[in-house]
Amino acid sequence: FADIREAIDELDHLVGVLEPFEANFVLDVAERGLRDILAVTTDYQDKSIAIPDYQLLQRKSDMNENLDSPLDADYLEALEFIKKMEQMEQQ
């Protein structure tokens, strides 16, 4: 239960600061904690409620390199622009 509480507190404290993938990780910690609690309390669960299978959180480094949204493309374009500007300043 402490992991769940800590994850929720971290989300609450860092709302607006965390990147979406970081927030997903924190939510994943909370979900796994809840699943752990549910796993040991099977005698008390309502059998009519099905808990969906856990879906492993995909790491950002493992994601496909395809850009799914225009925001990703804009972000990478801005990074390239900054790199070029830095290189021009160094010359």
Side-chain angles (χ1 to χ4, degrees):
F1 185 76
D3 290 340
I4 301 166
R5 186 71 246 167
E6 186 177 340
I8 292 170
D9 287 343
E10 182 174 349
L11 270 180
D12 185 43
H13 180 69
L14 296 175
V15 68
V17 176
L18 294 175
E19 293 287 330
F21 65 91
E22 293 171 319
N24 279 340
F25 174 77
V26 175
L27 288 170
D28 186 64
V29 170
E31 179 187 359
R32 285 184 283 136
L34 288 170
R35 286 178 176 278
D36 288 345
I37 290 170
L38 292 173
V40 298
T41 59
T42 55
D43 294 341
Y44 306 103
Q45 290 179 8
D46 184 350
K47 304 298 183 204
S48 66
I49 299 174
I51 300 171
D53 291 336
Y54 175 73
Q55 295 195 2
L56 186 63
L57 183 65
Q58 188 177 13
R59 295 182 307 189
K60 192 157 178 80
S61 60
D62 292 342
M63 290 183 179
N64 191 351
E65 294 297 322
N66 295 335
L67 300 176
D68 295 313
S69 76
L71 291 177
D72 291 336
D74 290 344
Y75 178 72
L76 291 177
E77 185 178 321
L79 285 178
E80 287 299 322
F81 177 76
I82 291 170
K83 286 181 188 177
K84 287 179 185 176
M85 294 301 290
E86 288 177 352
Q87 289 172 353
M88 289 175 57
E89 287 177 2
Q90 292 175 356
Q91 292 177 354

